[in-house]
Amino acid sequence: MKTFNKTLIAVSVALASTQTLASGFQLNSQSATGMGRAFAGDAVIADNASVLSRNPAAMALFDKDAISFGLTYADITVDVKDVNFAGGAVDLGSIDDAGSSKIIPNIFYIHPIDDKFAVGFAAFSNFGTGTDASSLSKSLPANSPAPYDLLGETEVTTVNFNASLSYRINEMFSIGAGVDAIYGEGRLTRNMGTTPLVDVDADGWAFGGIVGATIELDKDNRFGISYRFSPTVNVEGDINTVSMTTIPGVGTVPVATNFDSLDVPLADIFQVAGFHQITPKFALHYTAQHTQWGNFDQITAKDGTATIAAVGMTQAVGDVALKEYQWKDSWLFSLGGTYTINEQFTVRAGYMHDQGVVDEISSISFPDSDRNWYTAGMSYHINPQNTVDFGIAYIKGEKVHLIENSSITGIGPVNAITESSGMYYSVQYSYQF
């Protein structure tokens, strides 16, 4: 039974090492205008309703109803190279693109009630990722030793549904607060040939919130600050694992384990932003954002039951603290500029440096590193009420040499080189009533 328990926990740890709702690719995709300026100053610029995703207090800057909606296409590239173990004796090869592409929609609506209060509603995404490293094991002979639990498909998405209220204290100060209903879903598979080791298809809801404030020194200089409280999301669904254990007198037999749910903590986000209209045509803006990934300490599997069908044994294993991640808090810094060409056209550009979150424990399924963003965008003002925006971003991550151990097979260390990059393309329509 001791061997049985150790095997169960090992399989559970393998599950945890990939079932997170966010990795180093925290999404920045809430608007085309924000994309074009690397989201610099987005918590206070308030040129359209998408400011609601960053700071509810900025709704006080609107004197008319406003709506914005758009799409972002995220083309993520994750190269996984020179994957090997046994001191390099076994080479699993490389994948030129283990990442997956996503279409990320958003919609925002702001309604000023009077000269003091405004309300807003929004739907957008803060986190998402997708990788597929399963092809690395497909060339191996059947039943050959390999770190199968590290090589598979991982797909995670979250959606924020937000309702917010702002209050203008006076001409200089405004405050705001909102509630987030967060929906998360994930799909995870790990296979050894045709034998499924891990099969997860789960989703769930949780509630968080955001508070913010704006300071308007004058019409050309203002600052914004916000803090988003992120919850622990409990996801339920099909959460199944299969491992092997050896029982004296019986031999090596499969262990099937089922968990009712997973608890996944999300990171709080704090940001400050500034906007300065330097000349009638040119504005400068910036953002510093701190994401508390240090809060992401472990994932907990809830109400587990393990079954060995060969001997008719079933055992409740309860809640299992699967793994400590040792992730670290990260900072994001961005700087952007906006230039008004004429009444019809506005152009913008920006740069962002985004720190990685992985510290001592790395993962092939979630490669992570510091990233640099280079962005540009344009607005076409059809008339004073109607605007179409475009944004594009190139994201370049650093090359990472990682080492990871297989929790199921005991194979390790597994060595690999990963490098992530991406192109974001965003379009948005905005209307002020």
Side-chain angles (χ1 to χ4, degrees):
M1 186 59 68
K2 181 178 179 181
T3 302
F4 168 69
N5 285 334
K6 287 179 65 179
T7 304
L8 169 63
I9 293 174
V11 175
S12 300
V13 168
L15 173 63
S17 67
T18 51
Q19 186 59 26
T20 62
L21 286 186
S23 70
F25 264 106
Q26 178 179 339
L27 292 176
N28 282 293
S29 59
Q30 291 78 19
S31 71
T33 45
M35 184 77 64
R37 54 183 173 242
F39 297 95
D42 258 31
V44 75
I45 292 181
D47 48 359
N48 56 62
S50 65
V51 71
L52 188 54
S53 68
R54 302 283 176 157
N55 185 2
M59 294 192 297
L61 300 172
F62 289 77
D63 57 9
K64 298 178 181 178
D65 285 24
I67 187 170
S68 295
F69 55 89
L71 293 171
T72 295
Y73 176 71
D75 185 10
I76 307 300
T77 299
V78 181
D79 294 332
V80 184
K81 302 178 181 178
D82 301 329
V83 183
N84 65 84
F85 61 93
V90 181
D91 185 5
L92 296 179
S94 303
I95 303 177
D96 289 336
D97 186 5
S100 63
S101 300
K102 293 178 177 293
I103 296 178
I104 309 163
N106 58 71
I107 185 168
F108 308 91
Y109 173 68
I110 293 174
H111 171 63
I113 298 173
D114 53 32
D115 60 354
K116 291 288 187 180
F117 290 96
V119 295
F121 305 93
F124 55 94
S125 181
N126 272 332
F127 304 107
T129 190
T131 58
D132 187 358
S134 58
S135 63
L136 291 172
S137 62
K138 292 180 179 178
S139 60
L140 294 173
N143 300 319
S144 63
Y148 295 103
D149 53 314
L150 309 183
L151 311 173
E153 181 180 1
T154 306
E155 188 74 23
V156 175
T157 302
T158 67
V159 181
N160 282 45
F161 297 93
N162 173 271
S164 293
L165 174 71
S166 70
Y167 175 72
R168 176 172 288 281
I169 299 173
N170 53 40
E171 291 185 358
M172 180 175 290
F173 298 104
S174 301
I175 56 175
V179 175
D180 290 323
I182 302 172
Y183 172 74
E185 63 178 0
R187 173 68 180 153
L188 170 69
T189 59
R190 299 290 183 268
N191 299 307
M192 183 173 64
T194 58
T195 302
L197 297 177
V198 178
D199 187 4
V200 174
D201 191 354
D203 62 0
W205 289 87
F207 289 91
I210 184 172
V211 294
T214 61
I215 302 173
E216 301 170 68
L217 300 182
D218 54 44
K219 66 181 182 64
D220 294 328
N221 298 276
R222 54 186 182 266
F223 302 92
I225 183 171
S226 69
Y227 190 98
R228 171 161 263 120
F229 302 90
S230 297
T232 293
V233 179
N234 181 264
V235 293
E236 300 178 345
D238 295 325
I239 305 171
N240 306 301
T241 67
V242 176
S243 64
M244 306 300 292
T245 191
T246 301
I247 299 177
V250 178
T252 301
V253 294
V255 181
T257 308
N258 171 262
F259 294 99
D260 286 348
S261 64
L262 295 173
D263 279 349
V264 184
L266 297 180
D268 291 355
I269 302 171
F270 168 78
Q271 64 181 307
V272 293
F275 171 84
H276 307 282
Q277 190 72 44
I278 307 298
T279 72
K281 287 185 172 292
F282 177 72
L284 182 71
H285 27 85
Y286 45 84
T287 288
Q289 176 178 292
H290 183 257
T291 306
Q292 294 185 2
W293 281 118
N295 294 336
F296 189 80
D297 52 354
Q298 68 183 33
I299 286 180
T300 303
K302 312 284 287 185
D303 301 323
T305 303
T307 302
I308 305 178
V311 295
M313 180 187 296
T314 299
Q315 177 178 338
V317 296
D319 298 348
V320 179
L322 301 180
K323 185 177 178 180
E324 291 188 6
Y325 281 83
Q326 300 178 21
W327 279 16
K328 60 185 179 182
D329 294 351
S330 65
W331 280 97
L332 174 156
F333 302 97
S334 63
L335 177 67
T338 299
Y339 184 78
T340 302
I341 298 175
N342 53 39
E343 291 183 355
Q344 281 193 305
F345 293 99
T346 301
V347 293
R348 54 186 63 89
Y351 166 77
M352 178 195 300
H353 179 71
D354 187 9
Q355 293 180 340
V357 301
V358 172
D359 196 2
E360 297 181 4
I361 301 175
S362 55
S363 172
I364 295 173
S365 296
F366 288 103
D368 186 73
S369 69
D370 291 357
R371 292 166 298 279
N372 294 302
W373 293 56
Y374 308 93
T375 75
M378 180 188 74
S379 295
Y380 172 57
H381 307 285
I382 302 171
N383 55 44
Q385 287 76 42
N386 295 270
T387 301
V388 179
D389 299 290
F390 305 92
I392 186 171
Y394 171 65
I395 306 102
K396 180 63 176 177
E398 296 178 351
K399 185 178 293 186
V400 175
H401 296 258
L402 63 84
I403 299 174
E404 190 173 10
N405 292 288
S406 170
S407 300
I408 293 179
T409 64
I411 291 174
V414 179
N415 300 282
I417 298 173
T418 64
E419 190 171 7
S420 302
S421 61
M423 291 293 301
Y424 280 21
Y425 308 90
S426 188
V427 62
Q428 173 184 303
Y429 170 75
S430 297
Y431 180 80
Q432 289 204 8
F433 294 82

